[in-house]
Amino acid sequence: MLRWAVLGTGFISNTVIEAIALSDGSRVDVMAGRNRDKVAHFQKRHGIARGASYPDALADPEIDAIYIGLPNHLHHPFARRSSPGGKGGALREIAHDHDAGRARTGLDGPGARDVLR
């Protein structure tokens, strides 16, 4: 069973959680966000057991993979933070960044082998 943490409480995270729920081999175990009320809403709506801060979700030893459902400018730093925590992978949309060099480091930097694009 692939155990996911979802970062972010926006529309795309809702869509991804619904897609993960359709998989027999995956489940969302942790919902992470800045706003506790929004996190609690997602937990209740989708039956997600635990809510967490971003750092706690990234460091959680029971999580195998991270979905980064954050604004584009945050994809790069959170993808880079996911691999040092020992996660099997970080799923995000195409790397978006206002700096081409920084975007490349998001694709080629430490832990890049673990980043699903």
Side-chain angles (χ1 to χ4, degrees):
M1 179 66 63
L2 187 62
R3 301 163 301 177
W4 288 86
V6 173
L7 308 185
T9 56
F11 170 79
I12 192 65
S13 293
N14 185 65
T15 302
V16 168
I17 290 168
E18 290 173 355
I20 291 170
L22 296 174
S23 170
D24 292 334
S26 293
R27 71 173 183 248
V28 177
D29 281 357
V30 174
M31 185 70 219
R34 294 179 301 158
N35 182 307
R36 289 180 189 221
D37 291 337
K38 288 183 179 181
V39 169
H41 173 76
F42 268 76
Q43 286 180 261
K44 183 176 179 181
R45 179 176 183 176
H46 297 288
I48 300 169
R50 296 181 288 135
S53 67
Y54 298 138
D56 289 345
L58 292 170
D60 191 322
E62 296 182 18
I63 294 301
D64 303 308
I66 305 287
Y67 176 75
I68 302 172
L70 299 171
N72 292 341
H73 71 283
L74 295 174
H75 287 197
H76 178 267
F78 278 92
R80 290 184 60 88
R81 287 181 205 160
S82 66
S83 288
K87 303 298 163 238
L91 177 62
R92 59 186 171 138
E93 286 76 30
I94 296 171
H96 295 319
D97 203 292
H98 63 278
D99 178 288
R102 195 172 92 156
R104 277 191 294 279
T105 64
L107 298 174
D108 302 325
R113 64 178 173 72
D114 297 329
V115 178
L116 307 173
R117 297 176 205 93

